[in-house]
Amino acid sequence: MMSHLWILIILSSLSYGLSNRKNCHTLWKQLESCISRKDIETKPSQRESVAFSVTRTTDTQLSPLQTLVFDKVYLNEGGGYNAHTGLFTAPVNGIYYFAVTFMAQSGNTHLLLLKNNHEIARGYGDSTYDIGSIVSSAYLKKKSNHSSS
């Protein structure tokens, strides 16, 4: 794939140079400089890993609009999940993927996945031992330190 990209750059550069009657030697030197990255400032990639994996080790009875707090944290890379509040705060801007599996013990169970108190996905179970899941992706922004809310 990369060789095709360079070929396209070379072809479009040569076409540009010839159509404007530029010296091919000068054009070639500019292209070599670009390919060798002599004139391009590069910065190392700074990707941050963000992932969390949690579970409940005991059954819990939830009241309406209660946040479900998971009591067992297997992984919290990036530190986004707060084990005391049950809330996830994005440590970096990006698209995040969430997957939840649950089991209704008895009666109707409604679970909502919220982003800033707005529903982005929901799950429902209506009988004893009914298994459900919630899967959603959301763009999240890193919380600003200068935020007033």
Side-chain angles (χ1 to χ4, degrees):
M1 178 84 177
M2 191 61 151
S3 59
H4 295 294
L5 176 62
W6 288 119
I7 290 169
L8 290 175
I9 290 172
I10 291 167
L11 291 177
S12 63
S13 296
L14 289 176
S15 299
Y16 174 80
L18 295 174
S19 66
N20 287 314
R21 298 177 189 219
K22 282 192 170 187
N23 181 331
C24 287
H25 180 71
T26 303
L27 184 61
W28 184 253
K29 288 297 180 190
Q30 290 174 345
L31 187 57
E32 281 180 328
S33 175
C34 182
I35 292 171
S36 67
R37 296 178 175 221
K38 289 179 184 173
D39 61 348
I40 300 172
E41 182 181 332
T42 58
K43 295 180 181 177
S45 176
Q46 295 183 348
R47 291 188 178 196
E48 233 181 285
S49 294
V50 179
F52 71 102
S53 178
V54 294
T55 193
R56 286 282 316 169
T57 59
T58 60
D59 294 343
T60 185
Q61 181 73 32
L62 297 174
S63 59
L65 301 179
Q66 177 184 347
T67 299
L68 178 58
V69 179
F70 299 94
D71 61 349
K72 174 70 175 170
V73 178
Y74 295 106
L75 174 71
N76 194 11
E77 185 72 27
Y81 180 72
N82 183 322
H84 300 289
T85 64
L87 300 178
F88 175 81
T89 303
V92 295
N93 293 349
I95 297 173
Y96 291 83
Y97 176 82
F98 299 92
V100 179
T101 302
F102 64 93
M103 181 175 61
Q105 282 286 331
S106 61
N108 295 334
T109 300
H110 299 265
L111 293 179
L112 304 176
L113 183 60
L114 304 176
K115 172 186 171 185
N116 299 328
N117 292 322
H118 292 66
E119 179 184 331
I120 60 171
R122 69 173 46 207
Y124 176 74
D126 68 355
S127 64
T128 303
Y129 305 115
D130 196 8
I131 305 270
S133 63
I134 304 171
V135 177
S136 184
S137 297
Y139 179 79
L140 303 180
K141 290 183 180 180
K142 177 181 177 180
K143 184 176 180 180
S144 170
N145 292 336
H146 306 293
S147 177
S148 60
S149 55

